[in-house]
């Protein structure tokens, strides 16, 4: 079965399949392809897409990524063993980019954040972690904080945005750490302003709490904040970053912060089973992503502004009476589109349009959010730079007209 098309995490169930009814038998006894299989096949074969996510590419293409490994690391060096060699080189590169004393490689972000926050709990004496109910550990990690790490999540706000300084300052329960997901993916990849973020951090400090950034997509935030990575990361006591969500690596993550924290984190990494014998393919792919993709991310964000505006204009020109592009101006290069249709209806229209035109406007699955209401995520990457505003408007108008004919 083909994996769900999102740039998601760690092999968990964070993107349940919404557009995959059970396949039924054809007249000749063969099973019909599911909506998901059709969607991925259309995306793979389409000449024009807004993003080509590497992890959904054929294995031959994924392996070809390492052809550039010699440009980022000396391949005559001995391979890594339990985290040395190229893994150490990657850790040093991340620490340098984020301006931290050190960084520790982890096979998954789920593990990295559990380790970071249990280390901070040991230092503060408080296992309570203040976070948003839409944050990744709460939605996508099967209660790992409480079930595995002995941490106690407390929810600061239920609003679809990051918490405010007032909410943090006035929260009725004590907590040892405040975790902020930047951007908050399930609320629409949203970010606060720089001033709001610094005020929230200051409010946590007033409560003598440490601040940890779930920065899986932190690489994408510099354009919105107008600040370099090291200044953003410098607000927090520790930061987790992903290597595949933004950079197209095979996987992996890093926990960055003071050396005293990362040294303890490595001990817990071993206890959690994350001290893998050799990880050079993942480490090399991450170094390639830092070299190739990281410098281009601000350009993707700027073009996402063009895409979202043209998409809104096209859907309106196509006659849709109601829709929502959220945020109206994307904070990163990913955003949501909401439509007043059942998820299976709009998914079928999107797939048919892709199959018939070779242009994929909506490549992701559609999630139901209530009776007759669904949404999808739109990603803009290097492939999307080939689209002009007119291209997006035309595709959106065609899609809207198809949807109205259902």
């Amino acid at each position: 079965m083909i994996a769900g098309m999102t740039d998601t995490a760690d092999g968990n169930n964070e993107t349940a399949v919404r557009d995959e009814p059970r396949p039924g038998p054809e007249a000749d006894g063969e099973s019909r392809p599911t909506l998901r299989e059709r969607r991925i096949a259309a995306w793979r074969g389409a000449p024009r897409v807004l993003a080509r996510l590497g992890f959904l590419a054929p294995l031959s293409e994924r392996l070809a990524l390492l052809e550039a490994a010699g440009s980022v690391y000396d391949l005559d060096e001995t391979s890594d063993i339990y985290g040395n060699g190229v893994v150490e080189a990657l850790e040093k590169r991340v620490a340098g980019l984020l301006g931290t004393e050190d960084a520790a490689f982890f096979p998954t972000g789920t593990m990295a954040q559990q380790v970071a926050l249990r280390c901070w709990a040991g230092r503060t004496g408080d296992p309570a972690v203040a976070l948003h109910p839409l944050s990744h550990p709460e939605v996508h990690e099967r209660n790992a904080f409480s079930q595995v790490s002995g941490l106690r999540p407390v929810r600061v706000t239920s609003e679809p945005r990051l918490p405010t300084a007032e909410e943090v300052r006035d929260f009725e329960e004590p907590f040892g750490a405040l975790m902020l997901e930047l951007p908050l993916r399930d609320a629409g990849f949203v970010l606060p302003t720089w001033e709001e973020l610094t005020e929230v951090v200051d409010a946590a400090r007033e409560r003598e709490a440490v601040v940890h950034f779930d920065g899986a997509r932190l690489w994408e935030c510099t354009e919105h904040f107008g600040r370099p990575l090291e200044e953003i990361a410098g607000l927090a006591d520790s930061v987790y970053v992903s290597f595949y969500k933004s950079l197209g690596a095979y996987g992996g993550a890093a926990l960055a912060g003071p050396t005293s924290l990362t040294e303890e984190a490595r001990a817990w990494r071993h206890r959690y089973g994350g001290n893998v014998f050799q990880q050079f393919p993942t480490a090399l792919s991450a170094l390639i992503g830092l070299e190739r993709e990281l410098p281009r991310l601000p350009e993707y964000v700027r073009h996402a502004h063009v895409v979202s505006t043209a998409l809104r204009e096209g859907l309106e020109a196509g006659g849709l009476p109601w829709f929502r592009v959220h945020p109206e101006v994307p904070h990163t290069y990913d955003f949501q589109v909401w439509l007043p249709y059942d998820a299976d209806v709009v998914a079928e229209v999107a797939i048919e349009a892709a199959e018939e035109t070779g242009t994929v406007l909506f490549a992701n699955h559609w999630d139901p959010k209530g009776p007759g209401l669904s949404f999808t995520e739109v990603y803009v990457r290097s492939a999307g730079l080939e689209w002009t505003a007119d291209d997006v408007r035309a595709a959106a108008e065609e899609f809207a007209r198809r949807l109205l004919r259902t």
Side-chain angles (χ1 to χ4, degrees), residues 11 41 54 127 205 277 294 302 332 345 362-363 372 379:
R205 300 268 192 260
F277 180 55
L294 183 58
R302 291 190 293 270
T332 70
V345 172
F362 299 115
Y379 309 145

Side-chain angles (χ1 to χ4, degrees), residues 319-331:
L320 283 183
W322 184 89
F323 59 86
R324 178 77 182 272
V325 176
H326 174 70
E328 287 191 10
V329 178
H331 297 174

Side-chain angles (χ1 to χ4, degrees), residues 4-15 53 55 136 140 185 217 242 244-245 364-365 377 379:
M5 186 175 177
T6 73
D7 58 345
T8 55
D10 305 339
N12 57 34
N13 190 31
E14 79 170 79
T15 48
L53 304 181
F55 68 90
H136 194 280
H140 303 303
R185 182 264 180 93
R217 297 171 173 85
S242 172
Y244 73 90
K245 287 188 172 73
N364 213 336
H365 72 277
E377 294 175 345
Y379 309 145

Side-chain angles (χ1 to χ4, degrees), residues 266-285:
R266 289 185 176 95
W268 281 106
R269 181 183 66 189
H270 196 172
R271 295 183 180 115
Y272 273 66
N275 205 29
V276 180
F277 180 55
Q278 289 195 313
Q279 302 189 93
F280 63 89
T282 298
L284 287 170
S285 69

Side-chain angles (χ1 to χ4, degrees), residues 102-399:
D102 194 21
F105 180 88
F106 278 81
T108 72
T110 298
M111 184 186 296
Q113 298 208 107
Q114 284 189 57
V115 166
L117 290 164
R118 76 174 300 154
C119 289
W120 286 126
R123 285 164 165 76
T124 64
D126 190 338
V129 179
L131 43 63
H132 196 286
L134 291 177
S135 61
H136 194 280
E138 286 291 89
V139 179
H140 303 303
E141 295 179 13
R142 299 189 177 186
N143 303 312
F145 273 13
S146 58
Q147 296 298 313
V148 179
S149 299
L151 301 170
R152 186 170 66 87
V154 294
R155 301 179 172 189
V156 181
T157 180
S158 60
E159 295 297 321
R161 51 157 173 74
L162 273 295
T164 66
E166 183 179 8
E167 288 166 338
V168 170
R169 189 177 294 111
D170 297 341
F171 190 65
E172 62 272 16
E173 294 187 59
F175 54 85
L178 172 66
M179 186 182 116
L180 299 172
E181 183 178 330
L182 302 174
L184 186 57
R185 182 264 180 93
D186 281 289
F189 304 93
V190 297
L191 290 164
T193 66
W194 178 253
E195 291 73 21
E196 288 168 340
L197 179 60
T198 56
E199 289 170 2
V200 168
V201 171
D202 289 343
R205 300 268 192 260
E206 291 172 18
R207 299 186 59 136
E208 299 183 346
V210 298
V211 176
H212 171 77
F213 285 170
D214 176 344
R217 297 171 173 85
L218 192 76
W219 312 112
E220 308 165 16
C221 297
T222 57
E223 185 73 11
H224 176 81
F225 287 135
R227 299 291 194 283
L229 282 168
E230 60 267 25
E231 188 173 353
I232 301 170
L235 290 178
D237 296 284
S238 60
V239 180
Y240 140 66
V241 289
S242 172
F243 294 128
Y244 73 90
K245 287 188 172 73
S246 308
L247 304 176
Y250 293 159
L255 172 64
T259 302
S260 60
L261 176 73
T262 55
E263 287 179 347
E264 183 184 1
R266 289 185 176 95
W268 281 106
R269 181 183 66 189
H270 196 172
R271 295 183 180 115
Y272 273 66
N275 205 29
V276 180
F277 180 55
Q278 289 195 313
Q279 302 189 93
F280 63 89
T282 298
L284 287 170
S285 69
L287 286 169
I288 293 168
L290 289 171
E291 184 72 20
R292 288 182 171 182
E293 283 298 295
L294 183 58
R296 303 191 70 187
L297 301 188
E299 182 183 13
Y300 301 166
V301 175
R302 291 190 293 270
H303 196 61
H305 297 171
V306 175
V307 170
S308 65
T309 299
L311 179 58
R312 189 163 49 247
E313 292 168 352
L315 293 176
E316 183 177 1
L320 283 183
W322 184 89
F323 59 86
R324 178 77 182 272
V325 176
H326 174 70
E328 287 191 10
V329 178
H331 297 174
T332 70
Y333 45 64
D334 301 325
F335 57 92
Q336 295 176 345
V337 172
W338 293 67
L339 291 173
Y341 288 85
D342 289 334
D344 56 347
V345 172
V346 69
E348 179 65 39
V349 172
I351 293 167
E352 285 183 354
E355 291 171 335
E356 294 173 11
T357 68
T359 295
V360 181
L361 185 63
F362 299 115
N364 213 336
H365 72 277
W366 290 82
D367 259 322
K369 283 297 178 181
L373 183 65
S374 59
F375 87 98
T376 191
E377 294 175 345
V378 176
Y379 309 145
V380 179
R381 302 293 193 274
S382 60
L385 300 179
E386 301 174 7
W387 293 54
T388 66
D390 287 342
D391 293 333
V392 177
R393 277 190 290 268
E397 185 173 349
E398 167 67 14
F399 171 82

